[in-house]
Amino acid sequence: MAGGNAIRGSRVGAGPMGEAERGESAPRLRISFWCSNGHETKPSFASDAQVPDTWDCPRCGFPAGTDQDNPPDPPRTEPYKTHLAYVRERRSDADGEAILAEALAKLRGEI
């Protein structure tokens, strides 16, 4: 059946009005930021807004700065540590040997 609503597929407020309907847009500044991989990002800011010192690069995620010749260093990532690595940080080899000897003595029924 061909009958139905005549405005199907359109939304309220849609039309050719454009800027006149929404009002004037705020004046903008486009600032260039560069990351350590050489990627350039140009976000836009309101002309009266405070521009941040760093901006996250959308391509690699590294911090980017406004100085192309001296971008911020990428963050240093710590490698994954196992439980044993954390234990070795807290205890020396002599402490480990003593704890192992005590545990073996307890298992053998000597204590």
Side-chain angles (χ1 to χ4, degrees), residues 35-50:
C35 70
S36 60
N37 288 333
H39 302 139
E40 181 182 11
T41 304
K42 287 186 169 185
S44 62
F45 298 96
S47 62
D48 58 347
Q50 182 179 357

mmCIF file with all atom_site columns, all heavy atoms in Angstrom, residues 35-50:
data_model
loop_
_atom_site.group_PDB
_atom_site.id
_atom_site.type_symbol
_atom_site.label_atom_id
_atom_site.label_alt_id
_atom_site.label_comp_id
_atom_site.label_asym_id
_atom_site.label_entity_id
_atom_site.label_seq_id
_atom_site.pdbx_PDB_ins_code
_atom_site.Cartn_x
_atom_site.Cartn_y
_atom_site.Cartn_z
_atom_site.occupancy
_atom_site.B_iso_or_equiv
_atom_site.pdbx_formal_charge
_atom_site.auth_seq_id
_atom_site.auth_comp_id
_atom_site.auth_asym_id
_atom_site.auth_atom_id
_atom_site.pdbx_PDB_model_num
ATOM 1   N N   . CYS A 1 35 ? 53.651 14.448 17.730 1.00 0.00 ? 35 CYS A N   1
ATOM 2   C CA  . CYS A 1 35 ? 54.113 13.417 18.658 1.00 0.00 ? 35 CYS A CA  1
ATOM 3   C C   . CYS A 1 35 ? 55.524 13.000 18.275 1.00 0.00 ? 35 CYS A C   1
ATOM 4   O O   . CYS A 1 35 ? 56.072 13.466 17.269 1.00 0.00 ? 35 CYS A O   1
ATOM 5   C CB  . CYS A 1 35 ? 53.164 12.213 18.643 1.00 0.00 ? 35 CYS A CB  1
ATOM 6   S SG  . CYS A 1 35 ? 53.220 11.256 17.127 1.00 0.00 ? 35 CYS A SG  1
ATOM 7   N N   . SER A 1 36 ? 56.129 12.119 19.059 1.00 0.00 ? 36 SER A N   1
ATOM 8   C CA  . SER A 1 36 ? 57.511 11.688 18.807 1.00 0.00 ? 36 SER A CA  1
ATOM 9   C C   . SER A 1 36 ? 57.626 10.836 17.539 1.00 0.00 ? 36 SER A C   1
ATOM 10  O O   . SER A 1 36 ? 58.716 10.665 17.021 1.00 0.00 ? 36 SER A O   1
ATOM 11  C CB  . SER A 1 36 ? 58.057 10.924 20.010 1.00 0.00 ? 36 SER A CB  1
ATOM 12  O OG  . SER A 1 36 ? 57.260 9.792  20.262 1.00 0.00 ? 36 SER A OG  1
ATOM 13  N N   . ASN A 1 37 ? 56.512 10.316 17.012 1.00 0.00 ? 37 ASN A N   1
ATOM 14  C CA  . ASN A 1 37 ? 56.532 9.565  15.758 1.00 0.00 ? 37 ASN A CA  1
ATOM 15  C C   . ASN A 1 37 ? 56.380 10.463 14.538 1.00 0.00 ? 37 ASN A C   1
ATOM 16  O O   . ASN A 1 37 ? 56.357 9.983  13.409 1.00 0.00 ? 37 ASN A O   1
ATOM 17  C CB  . ASN A 1 37 ? 55.429 8.504  15.738 1.00 0.00 ? 37 ASN A CB  1
ATOM 18  C CG  . ASN A 1 37 ? 55.728 7.352  16.657 1.00 0.00 ? 37 ASN A CG  1
ATOM 19  O OD1 . ASN A 1 37 ? 56.893 7.063  16.938 1.00 0.00 ? 37 ASN A OD1 1
ATOM 20  N ND2 . ASN A 1 37 ? 54.707 6.694  17.142 1.00 0.00 ? 37 ASN A ND2 1
ATOM 21  N N   . GLY A 1 38 ? 56.243 11.780 14.743 1.00 0.00 ? 38 GLY A N   1
ATOM 22  C CA  . GLY A 1 38 ? 56.119 12.722 13.647 1.00 0.00 ? 38 GLY A CA  1
ATOM 23  C C   . GLY A 1 38 ? 54.705 12.928 13.146 1.00 0.00 ? 38 GLY A C   1
ATOM 24  O O   . GLY A 1 38 ? 54.504 13.601 12.142 1.00 0.00 ? 38 GLY A O   1
ATOM 25  N N   . HIS A 1 39 ? 53.710 12.375 13.820 1.00 0.00 ? 39 HIS A N   1
ATOM 26  C CA  . HIS A 1 39 ? 52.319 12.560 13.405 1.00 0.00 ? 39 HIS A CA  1
ATOM 27  C C   . HIS A 1 39 ? 51.862 13.961 13.793 1.00 0.00 ? 39 HIS A C   1
ATOM 28  O O   . HIS A 1 39 ? 52.152 14.425 14.891 1.00 0.00 ? 39 HIS A O   1
ATOM 29  C CB  . HIS A 1 39 ? 51.401 11.534 14.073 1.00 0.00 ? 39 HIS A CB  1
ATOM 30  C CG  . HIS A 1 39 ? 51.778 10.125 13.783 1.00 0.00 ? 39 HIS A CG  1
ATOM 31  N ND1 . HIS A 1 39 ? 51.735 9.145  14.745 1.00 0.00 ? 39 HIS A ND1 1
ATOM 32  C CD2 . HIS A 1 39 ? 52.218 9.520  12.653 1.00 0.00 ? 39 HIS A CD2 1
ATOM 33  C CE1 . HIS A 1 39 ? 52.116 8.001  14.208 1.00 0.00 ? 39 HIS A CE1 1
ATOM 34  N NE2 . HIS A 1 39 ? 52.422 8.203  12.939 1.00 0.00 ? 39 HIS A NE2 1
ATOM 35  N N   . GLU A 1 40 ? 51.137 14.612 12.899 1.00 0.00 ? 40 GLU A N   1
ATOM 36  C CA  . GLU A 1 40 ? 50.586 15.943 13.188 1.00 0.00 ? 40 GLU A CA  1
ATOM 37  C C   . GLU A 1 40 ? 49.094 15.821 13.426 1.00 0.00 ? 40 GLU A C   1
ATOM 38  O O   . GLU A 1 40 ? 48.381 15.148 12.685 1.00 0.00 ? 40 GLU A O   1
ATOM 39  C CB  . GLU A 1 40 ? 50.841 16.898 12.026 1.00 0.00 ? 40 GLU A CB  1
ATOM 40  C CG  . GLU A 1 40 ? 50.317 18.291 12.305 1.00 0.00 ? 40 GLU A CG  1
ATOM 41  C CD  . GLU A 1 40 ? 50.522 19.239 11.139 1.00 0.00 ? 40 GLU A CD  1
ATOM 42  O OE1 . GLU A 1 40 ? 50.874 18.785 10.037 1.00 0.00 ? 40 GLU A OE1 1
ATOM 43  O OE2 . GLU A 1 40 ? 50.312 20.441 11.345 1.00 0.00 ? 40 GLU A OE2 1
ATOM 44  N N   . THR A 1 41 ? 48.613 16.486 14.478 1.00 0.00 ? 41 THR A N   1
ATOM 45  C CA  . THR A 1 41 ? 47.204 16.524 14.826 1.00 0.00 ? 41 THR A CA  1
ATOM 46  C C   . THR A 1 41 ? 46.801 17.985 14.908 1.00 0.00 ? 41 THR A C   1
ATOM 47  O O   . THR A 1 41 ? 47.529 18.791 15.490 1.00 0.00 ? 41 THR A O   1
ATOM 48  C CB  . THR A 1 41 ? 46.956 15.843 16.180 1.00 0.00 ? 41 THR A CB  1
ATOM 49  O OG1 . THR A 1 41 ? 47.476 14.515 16.125 1.00 0.00 ? 41 THR A OG1 1
ATOM 50  C CG2 . THR A 1 41 ? 45.494 15.781 16.519 1.00 0.00 ? 41 THR A CG2 1
ATOM 51  N N   . LYS A 1 42 ? 45.643 18.336 14.347 1.00 0.00 ? 42 LYS A N   1
ATOM 52  C CA  . LYS A 1 42 ? 45.182 19.724 14.369 1.00 0.00 ? 42 LYS A CA  1
ATOM 53  C C   . LYS A 1 42 ? 43.787 19.818 14.971 1.00 0.00 ? 42 LYS A C   1
ATOM 54  O O   . LYS A 1 42 ? 42.810 19.988 14.252 1.00 0.00 ? 42 LYS A O   1
ATOM 55  C CB  . LYS A 1 42 ? 45.156 20.303 12.956 1.00 0.00 ? 42 LYS A CB  1
ATOM 56  C CG  . LYS A 1 42 ? 46.499 20.608 12.378 1.00 0.00 ? 42 LYS A CG  1
ATOM 57  C CD  . LYS A 1 42 ? 46.319 21.314 11.051 1.00 0.00 ? 42 LYS A CD  1
ATOM 58  C CE  . LYS A 1 42 ? 47.621 21.873 10.571 1.00 0.00 ? 42 LYS A CE  1
ATOM 59  N NZ  . LYS A 1 42 ? 47.450 22.655 9.351  1.00 0.00 ? 42 LYS A NZ  1
ATOM 60  N N   . PRO A 1 43 ? 43.663 19.717 16.301 1.00 0.00 ? 43 PRO A N   1
ATOM 61  C CA  . PRO A 1 43 ? 42.337 19.911 16.904 1.00 0.00 ? 43 PRO A CA  1
ATOM 62  C C   . PRO A 1 43 ? 41.976 21.392 16.882 1.00 0.00 ? 43 PRO A C   1
ATOM 63  O O   . PRO A 1 43 ? 42.844 22.259 16.827 1.00 0.00 ? 43 PRO A O   1
ATOM 64  C CB  . PRO A 1 43 ? 42.515 19.394 18.329 1.00 0.00 ? 43 PRO A CB  1
ATOM 65  C CG  . PRO A 1 43 ? 43.961 19.548 18.605 1.00 0.00 ? 43 PRO A CG  1
ATOM 66  C CD  . PRO A 1 43 ? 44.669 19.375 17.293 1.00 0.00 ? 43 PRO A CD  1
ATOM 67  N N   . SER A 1 44 ? 40.690 21.667 16.906 1.00 0.00 ? 44 SER A N   1
ATOM 68  C CA  . SER A 1 44 ? 40.248 23.058 16.942 1.00 0.00 ? 44 SER A CA  1
ATOM 69  C C   . SER A 1 44 ? 39.756 23.385 18.344 1.00 0.00 ? 44 SER A C   1
ATOM 70  O O   . SER A 1 44 ? 39.131 22.573 19.019 1.00 0.00 ? 44 SER A O   1
ATOM 71  C CB  . SER A 1 44 ? 39.158 23.298 15.903 1.00 0.00 ? 44 SER A CB  1
ATOM 72  O OG  . SER A 1 44 ? 38.028 22.523 16.176 1.00 0.00 ? 44 SER A OG  1
ATOM 73  N N   . PHE A 1 45 ? 40.058 24.602 18.765 1.00 0.00 ? 45 PHE A N   1
ATOM 74  C CA  . PHE A 1 45 ? 39.686 25.092 20.089 1.00 0.00 ? 45 PHE A CA  1
ATOM 75  C C   . PHE A 1 45 ? 38.936 26.410 19.918 1.00 0.00 ? 45 PHE A C   1
ATOM 76  O O   . PHE A 1 45 ? 39.170 27.141 18.948 1.00 0.00 ? 45 PHE A O   1
ATOM 77  C CB  . PHE A 1 45 ? 40.929 25.336 20.951 1.00 0.00 ? 45 PHE A CB  1
ATOM 78  C CG  . PHE A 1 45 ? 41.743 24.111 21.212 1.00 0.00 ? 45 PHE A CG  1
ATOM 79  C CD1 . PHE A 1 45 ? 42.837 23.812 20.420 1.00 0.00 ? 45 PHE A CD1 1
ATOM 80  C CD2 . PHE A 1 45 ? 41.428 23.249 22.238 1.00 0.00 ? 45 PHE A CD2 1
ATOM 81  C CE1 . PHE A 1 45 ? 43.600 22.687 20.642 1.00 0.00 ? 45 PHE A CE1 1
ATOM 82  C CE2 . PHE A 1 45 ? 42.180 22.118 22.476 1.00 0.00 ? 45 PHE A CE2 1
ATOM 83  C CZ  . PHE A 1 45 ? 43.259 21.834 21.674 1.00 0.00 ? 45 PHE A CZ  1
ATOM 84  N N   . ALA A 1 46 ? 38.063 26.713 20.848 1.00 0.00 ? 46 ALA A N   1
ATOM 85  C CA  . ALA A 1 46 ? 37.437 28.027 20.861 1.00 0.00 ? 46 ALA A CA  1
ATOM 86  C C   . ALA A 1 46 ? 38.537 29.064 21.057 1.00 0.00 ? 46 ALA A C   1
ATOM 87  O O   . ALA A 1 46 ? 39.529 28.823 21.749 1.00 0.00 ? 46 ALA A O   1
ATOM 88  C CB  . ALA A 1 46 ? 36.394 28.115 21.968 1.00 0.00 ? 46 ALA A CB  1
ATOM 89  N N   . SER A 1 47 ? 38.375 30.222 20.429 1.00 0.00 ? 47 SER A N   1
ATOM 90  C CA  . SER A 1 47 ? 39.451 31.222 20.469 1.00 0.00 ? 47 SER A CA  1
ATOM 91  C C   . SER A 1 47 ? 39.726 31.720 21.882 1.00 0.00 ? 47 SER A C   1
ATOM 92  O O   . SER A 1 47 ? 40.839 32.154 22.182 1.00 0.00 ? 47 SER A O   1
ATOM 93  C CB  . SER A 1 47 ? 39.119 32.392 19.554 1.00 0.00 ? 47 SER A CB  1
ATOM 94  O OG  . SER A 1 47 ? 37.928 33.032 19.988 1.00 0.00 ? 47 SER A OG  1
ATOM 95  N N   . ASP A 1 48 ? 38.745 31.636 22.779 1.00 0.00 ? 48 ASP A N   1
ATOM 96  C CA  . ASP A 1 48 ? 38.969 32.094 24.153 1.00 0.00 ? 48 ASP A CA  1
ATOM 97  C C   . ASP A 1 48 ? 39.309 30.955 25.113 1.00 0.00 ? 48 ASP A C   1
ATOM 98  O O   . ASP A 1 48 ? 39.483 31.182 26.300 1.00 0.00 ? 48 ASP A O   1
ATOM 99  C CB  . ASP A 1 48 ? 37.752 32.859 24.664 1.00 0.00 ? 48 ASP A CB  1
ATOM 100 C CG  . ASP A 1 48 ? 36.486 32.027 24.628 1.00 0.00 ? 48 ASP A CG  1
ATOM 101 O OD1 . ASP A 1 48 ? 36.488 30.957 23.996 1.00 0.00 ? 48 ASP A OD1 1
ATOM 102 O OD2 . ASP A 1 48 ? 35.489 32.458 25.244 1.00 0.00 ? 48 ASP A OD2 1
ATOM 103 N N   . ALA A 1 49 ? 39.449 29.726 24.613 1.00 0.00 ? 49 ALA A N   1
ATOM 104 C CA  . ALA A 1 49 ? 39.764 28.569 25.459 1.00 0.00 ? 49 ALA A CA  1
ATOM 105 C C   . ALA A 1 49 ? 41.265 28.483 25.710 1.00 0.00 ? 49 ALA A C   1
ATOM 106 O O   . ALA A 1 49 ? 42.080 28.933 24.900 1.00 0.00 ? 49 ALA A O   1
ATOM 107 C CB  . ALA A 1 49 ? 39.286 27.278 24.806 1.00 0.00 ? 49 ALA A CB  1
ATOM 108 N N   . GLN A 1 50 ? 41.627 27.890 26.833 1.00 0.00 ? 50 GLN A N   1
ATOM 109 C CA  . GLN A 1 50 ? 43.034 27.678 27.153 1.00 0.00 ? 50 GLN A CA  1
ATOM 110 C C   . GLN A 1 50 ? 43.513 26.429 26.418 1.00 0.00 ? 50 GLN A C   1
ATOM 111 O O   . GLN A 1 50 ? 42.945 25.353 26.555 1.00 0.00 ? 50 GLN A O   1
ATOM 112 C CB  . GLN A 1 50 ? 43.217 27.509 28.656 1.00 0.00 ? 50 GLN A CB  1
ATOM 113 C CG  . GLN A 1 50 ? 44.648 27.326 29.066 1.00 0.00 ? 50 GLN A CG  1
ATOM 114 C CD  . GLN A 1 50 ? 44.796 27.183 30.574 1.00 0.00 ? 50 GLN A CD  1
ATOM 115 O OE1 . GLN A 1 50 ? 43.830 27.269 31.306 1.00 0.00 ? 50 GLN A OE1 1
ATOM 116 N NE2 . GLN A 1 50 ? 46.007 26.958 31.014 1.00 0.00 ? 50 GLN A NE2 1
#
